[in-house]
Amino acid sequence: MERVARFVVKRRGFVLAVACMLLVLSAFGYINTRVNYDILSYLPSELESMEGERYLDKDFGLASTAMVTVEGDMPTAELLKMKQDIEAVDGVASCFWLSDVVDVTVPKEILPDDVTNMMYGKNDSTMMMVRFEESSASDKTINAIVQIKGILKKDCFLGGMSTILEDTKELVNQELPKYVLCAVVFSLIVLFLFLENTAVPFIFMLGIIFPVVYNFGSNVFMGEISYITQALAAVLQLGVTMDFSIFLLHRYQEEKVNKSNEDAMVSAICLTSTSILSSSLTTIAGFLAMCTMSLTLGADIGIVMAKGVALGVISTLTILPALIMYFDKIIEKRRHPVITPHMHKVAAVVTKHPKRIIMIFVVIALVFFRAQSLTSVYYTLTDSLPQDLTGIAGTNKLDEDFGMPSFHFVIINDNMSSAQKKSLADELDNVEGIKSTLCYEKFVGGGIPESAVPDSAAELFRSNGHELMMITTEYKPGTDEMNTQVQRMNKIIKRYDADGILTGEGAMTKDLITTSAHDFNSTSVFSILAVFLIIVITFKSISIPFLLVLSIEGAIMVNLGIPYFTGSVIPFIASIVLGTIQLGATVDYAILMTTRFHEERLNGLSPHDAAATAIETCAPSIITSGLSFFAATIGLYFVSRIDLIRGLCLLISRGAIISMLVILFVLPAMLILFAPIIRKTTYHWLDDSKESVDIEVQEKS
C-alpha cells in the first residue's frame, strides 16, 4: 500500500489525467445504458403470471397494451380516422375497436352484453385497445406512446400500464437533476458547518464526482438498470462514501504536524486504507444482500450500489489524495468557524447510567418492532405517482366511464370444448367484482354467426393452440379485494384446465406481494449474517458482532415502526431494502466507536473511561458522517413527486439519524456492561500484561 500511496502522491498529475480520461469513457457508458421503468418486469420468470405474460406477447401480441377512452359523441368517421392514425405509428401492432369485430352499422342493441359493456360506457364514451409490438417498457413502445398522445383529439384519454411507464420516464428525467443538486447542496451545508477548511467541501464533492460517474458508466455491462436505481444511486453513493473522505482528511491533518505534506499524505493513505477497506466491506455486504431477493430489482440496486462503494474506496485512496495535494495551499489558507460537538455531558450520562439506557432502548425496540409489523404497505405502483399524469388520468377515466380500472387475461388450451369454455366464462363472470368476460364463445353465441366474425377478431382470441379471455374488473391491483378475486379466479380456472393461466396487472401484483414477503426475510437474514461474519473477522470476537448488529437492527426497527404511529403508508420496496441499506451504511459508525473503545482499553482505561473517551473522540466524525448521509437523501423527499422515491428517501435519511443516536448513546452503554463478556469471547482483546489489571478494575466497577 505504501508503494501505491507514494505513486499517487508523486505522480498526482498523471493520476488526475487518467481519472479525467476515464470520465469520458464512463460518459459513453452512461449514454448507452438503458433504463427500465417497469417494476413488474423484475418478478421471477418462473411465476405463472410471468409465464402468462410471455404467452400474451408471443401468441397474442397483448403483453403491452394501452386503452384510449373517447368521450362525447365523436362521429364514427372521425373516430375511425383517429384509429387509423394510431395504427400507423411505428411500434403499434393494432388498434382494436368494435369495427374489428362487426360492421359499425350493426345496432348496439343486437350485440352481446359483454361486448357493449366493454366497448361503451358513461358520458357517451367508447374505448379502443392499442396493442404494441414490443413490451410496455421498451424504448419503441414508449416512443409510440409519445406519438399517440399527439394524435389524440379533445376529450380523448390514454390509459394503461404502457402509458404510465412513459409518464414515469418523463417525470424521472425531469426530476433527476434536482435529486443530484439537492444532495450536493445539502451535503455541502453540513460539511461547511463541521469542517473548518472552506475549500474542503468543494474538493470532497469534486472527488466524489469521479466514482459516481464511473459507477453510472460501468452500468453498461449490466445492459439496463431500473429507474429507482438511477434515481437513488448517485445520492446514496454520495451519502455512504462521504465518511471515507472525512477519515482520510482528518488523518492527513494529524500526520502533517510532524511530517512534510507528501510524507503525511503517504502515511494517511496507508493508515486510513485498512479502516476504509474494513468499513466498506460491511457496506458492500449489505448491498450485495439484496442480490438474494427473488425480485431481481434487488440485484439491480445491490450490484450498482456495491460497485459504487468499491469505486468510492478506490477513488478515496487515489484521486482524492491527488486533489488534496494539488489544492493543499488553498485548503490551508481559507478557514472559518465550525460547529464542534462537545460530548462531555453525553459521555457522563452514558457512563453513569448504562443499565437504564439499555433498558429504555430494549423497551423502545420491542414497541417499535410490533409497530413495524402493523405498518401499512402499498403495492399498487400507480399510487406512488402524481395523479395528474396522462396515464393516471386515462386509467381513472376507464374506471369512471367503464368501471374497469384493470384487466385480467386468462389463457387456456384451445382443445377445450366450446361448452366448457362458455361455462368457464360464466363462472368467472359470477366472481365478485368481475364486470365482464369477453371471449370468442361470447361472440359466436351472442347472436353473431361464426362466419360473420372477421379473421382478425378470431386471431385475437385464438392462437398457437391457446385461447384468450379478456376480463374487466372493478378492483384496483394490489388491493385486498383484488388479491381475493385473483385467488378465486385461479381456483375456477384450474378446475377447467390444469394448465390454464391467469395473468395481468392484478395477478402480477399479487405475486409481487408474495415475493416481497419472502424477500424481506431473506435479505434481512443474509445481510445480518454477512455483516456479522465481517465483524467477527475484524475483531476476532463472537460477542462484539452481536452487540454491533443488535444496536443497528434496533435502530432499523424504530425506523420502520415510526410510519405506524404517524399513520403513513410506505412503498413495499422500502421495507425490503431499508434494512440492508441502513445496516450496511451505518454499521461503520459502530465499528469506529468500538475500535476506539478497544484502543483506550489497551491503554489501560476502565470500561467506563474508555467509553467516555470513545464517545468524545468519535462523535465529531460520526455526527458529520451521519448528517451528511441524512442531508444527501432528505432533499429527495422534498423535491420528488414520485411517492415511492420520496418514501424510501425519508426512511433512509431518518435511519441515518436514528443509527447515529443509537451508536452515540446505546452502543457505548453496551460496551460498558458487556466488557467482561467481550474480554472472554475476544481473541487477545487485552494484552496479557494488562489482563490482571483489567480484572481488578471490573471487580471494583
Side-chain angles (χ1 to χ4, degrees), residues 114-326:
D114 289 296
V115 176
T116 54
N117 288 338
M118 178 173 283
M119 293 297 178
Y120 296 101
K122 300 176 183 176
N123 303 317
D124 293 324
S125 59
T126 186
M127 180 182 64
M128 294 187 290
M129 178 186 293
V130 182
R131 298 163 55 201
F132 298 100
E133 295 174 354
E134 297 184 2
S135 65
S136 297
S138 75
D139 296 333
K140 192 173 185 179
T141 299
I142 287 179
N143 291 334
I145 291 287
V146 174
Q147 294 182 56
I148 292 172
K149 287 181 178 180
I151 293 172
L152 296 183
K153 302 181 182 300
K154 184 182 178 182
D155 296 327
C156 294
F157 304 88
L158 188 63
M161 184 53 65
S162 299
T163 312
I164 293 171
L165 295 181
E166 192 277 327
D167 288 337
T168 304
K169 175 182 178 180
E170 185 177 350
L171 185 59
V172 170
N173 289 340
Q174 290 175 358
E175 293 189 345
L176 191 58
K178 298 179 184 178
Y179 298 164
V180 177
L181 180 62
C182 282
V184 169
V185 171
F186 284 26
S187 295
L188 282 174
I189 292 173
V190 172
L191 294 175
F192 274 120
L193 291 175
F194 290 93
L195 298 177
E196 64 177 358
N197 301 96
T198 307
V200 164
F202 294 106
I203 294 172
F204 279 2
M205 287 301 166
L206 182 60
I208 286 178
I209 286 174
F210 289 90
V212 168
V213 175
Y214 296 160
N215 194 24
F216 275 94
S218 59
N219 289 336
V220 70
F221 298 107
M222 298 174 63
E224 66 177 26
I225 59 172
S226 74
Y227 78 92
I228 297 175
T229 305
Q230 184 194 39
L232 296 178
V235 174
L236 285 178
Q237 190 174 347
L238 188 156
V240 168
T241 60
M242 180 62 74
D243 51 351
F244 302 157
S245 303
I246 295 170
F247 295 163
L248 178 71
L249 178 68
H250 284 172
R251 194 74 197 206
Y252 171 61
Q253 291 173 335
E254 287 181 24
E255 296 295 320
K256 280 176 67 176
V257 175
N258 300 315
K259 298 178 181 178
S260 66
N261 288 358
E262 289 192 354
D263 288 340
M265 182 56 77
V266 171
S267 296
I269 294 173
C270 294
L271 294 171
T272 310
S273 61
T274 303
S275 60
I276 289 178
L277 288 170
S278 60
S279 297
S280 65
L281 282 177
T282 57
T283 307
I284 291 171
F287 284 122
L288 289 180
M290 286 190 277
C291 295
T292 63
M293 291 171 57
S294 301
L295 187 71
T296 53
L297 175 63
D300 189 89
I301 299 174
I303 291 173
V304 171
M305 286 312 307
K307 178 161 56 71
V309 173
L311 290 169
V313 171
I314 295 171
S315 297
T316 301
L317 297 176
T318 55
I319 299 173
L320 183 61
L323 288 171
I324 292 175
M325 294 298 297
Y326 193 82

Side-chain angles (χ1 to χ4, degrees), residues 520-694:
F520 177 77
N521 295 325
S522 66
T523 53
S524 297
V525 171
F526 187 86
S527 61
I528 289 172
L529 289 177
V531 171
F532 187 93
L533 181 60
I534 292 171
I535 299 174
V536 167
I537 296 171
T538 302
F539 289 98
K540 300 180 181 64
S541 173
I542 297 298
S543 56
I544 289 178
F546 278 105
L547 299 180
L548 270 58
V549 171
L550 283 174
S551 61
I552 301 296
E553 285 298 316
I556 293 170
M557 290 179 194
V558 172
N559 194 15
L560 285 175
I562 289 175
Y564 171 75
F565 294 105
T566 60
S568 304
V569 182
I570 63 175
F572 76 96
I573 193 68
S575 59
I576 300 174
V577 304
L578 175 73
T580 58
I581 292 176
Q582 188 172 340
L583 174 62
T586 63
V587 74
D588 299 353
Y589 312 158
I591 292 174
L592 179 65
M593 179 71 72
T594 307
T595 302
R596 188 54 185 255
F597 175 81
H598 184 207
E599 288 178 8
E600 299 305 326
R601 295 287 284 121
L602 288 173
N603 291 333
L605 295 184
S606 69
H608 289 75
D609 292 337
T613 303
I615 293 171
E616 292 178 20
T617 55
C618 295
S621 295
I622 292 174
I623 291 174
T624 304
S625 299
L627 290 179
S628 296
F629 192 16
F630 170 81
T633 51
I634 192 62
L636 274 68
Y637 174 75
F638 294 106
V639 301
S640 180
R641 297 179 65 208
I642 303 174
D643 190 69
L644 189 151
I645 293 174
R646 292 179 74 247
L648 187 55
C649 285
L650 177 61
L651 285 165
I652 292 172
S653 59
R654 188 170 64 206
I657 299 298
I658 296 172
S659 289
M660 182 184 74
L661 294 175
V662 168
I663 299 308
L664 290 175
F665 287 88
V666 179
L667 180 59
M670 288 183 173
L671 294 174
I672 292 171
L673 283 183
F674 294 97
I677 297 176
I678 293 173
R679 176 166 46 80
K680 293 178 181 179
T681 58
T682 305
Y683 182 71
H684 284 320
W685 176 248
L686 298 176
D687 292 342
D688 294 338
S689 60
K690 297 172 183 175
E691 192 77 23
S692 59
V693 175
D694 181 61

